[in-house]
Amino acid sequence: MMTIPYRLLLRETACRVLLASGTDAGEKVFTARSMPSEAKQLPQIALQVPIDRGESFGRSAPGFRRVAYLVAVGKVSHSSAEKTELALDRLGSQIEYALMQSPALQGMIQQVTEIDLRVQIDASGETFLGMVTVRLGLEYSEYFELTGLPLAEIGGKMSANGNDDFADLRVTFPNQ
């Protein structure tokens, strides 16, 4: 049975939060979508989790302190650089506050490790295209369930001072 990775659950929750929050993108909040857009399709928001890093808790059951980097890319288009920048500031703030103030999203994580917001404007076409990127580091813990037969017994032979048959070792684990 394949389990849905937690990073994708975080992304889909963030999508629902942004759809419900009433951003300027309205219903145009997407996941698993190609990034290029036409000006008539804007404003819109696309969500991805391009990086998910894990650091081991140690030499025990496979458990990790993970940080999923949720990236929300908001795009706008206007007739002037000033209007585009103001629209980007507004959309970026809407994204940031909706995600940071969402009990649904915040309840799924231990903390937001970082926020990175970047704005970019392209004036090469007939209209000004703007893009705001909001990246949140979402920390959570993940433990992987071991599959297969459980360890029932460990056996071995010990040797000492040239005696290859010094002692036997047998440890039996109770059924769980």
Side-chain angles (χ1 to χ4, degrees), residues 22-176:
T23 68
D24 290 345
E27 295 295 312
K28 293 180 277 183
V29 180
F30 306 103
T31 63
R33 183 177 168 87
S34 60
M35 297 307 269
S37 304
E38 296 179 17
K40 64 184 176 187
Q41 298 171 316
L42 304 179
Q44 71 176 20
I45 300 169
L47 294 160
Q48 292 182 307
V49 179
I51 301 170
D52 184 11
R53 299 194 63 218
E55 184 177 320
S56 175
F57 287 133
R59 300 186 196 297
S60 58
F64 295 86
R65 176 190 158 272
R66 300 194 63 155
V67 178
Y69 292 92
L70 174 70
V71 177
V73 177
K75 293 182 178 181
V76 300
S77 177
H78 283 284
S79 58
S80 72
E82 181 183 2
K83 286 181 181 179
T84 304
E85 189 162 352
L86 289 172
L88 287 174
D89 290 343
R90 180 178 159 96
L91 186 58
S93 295
Q94 290 171 344
I95 293 168
E96 181 179 358
Y97 283 91
L99 296 175
M100 290 301 297
Q101 295 176 333
S102 166
L105 183 64
Q106 295 297 321
M108 295 176 70
I109 62 172
Q110 293 165 331
Q111 70 169 326
V112 175
T113 61
E114 63 185 273
I115 298 175
D116 183 67
L117 192 138
R118 297 171 189 231
V119 173
Q120 184 178 354
I121 297 176
D122 179 5
S124 63
E126 292 179 16
T127 61
F128 290 83
L129 297 175
M131 184 169 72
V132 60
T133 303
V134 180
R135 185 183 74 181
L136 303 177
L138 306 177
E139 180 183 293
Y140 63 98
S141 295
E142 183 171 40
Y143 294 89
F144 291 89
E145 187 175 319
L146 298 175
T147 59
L149 297 174
L151 184 60
E153 183 177 271
I154 297 176
K157 289 195 174 285
M158 292 184 271
S159 62
N161 299 325
N163 181 356
D164 289 340
D165 197 20
F166 178 72
D168 287 332
L169 168 71
R170 184 157 317 282
V171 178
T172 304
F173 297 98
N175 292 336
Q176 297 178 4

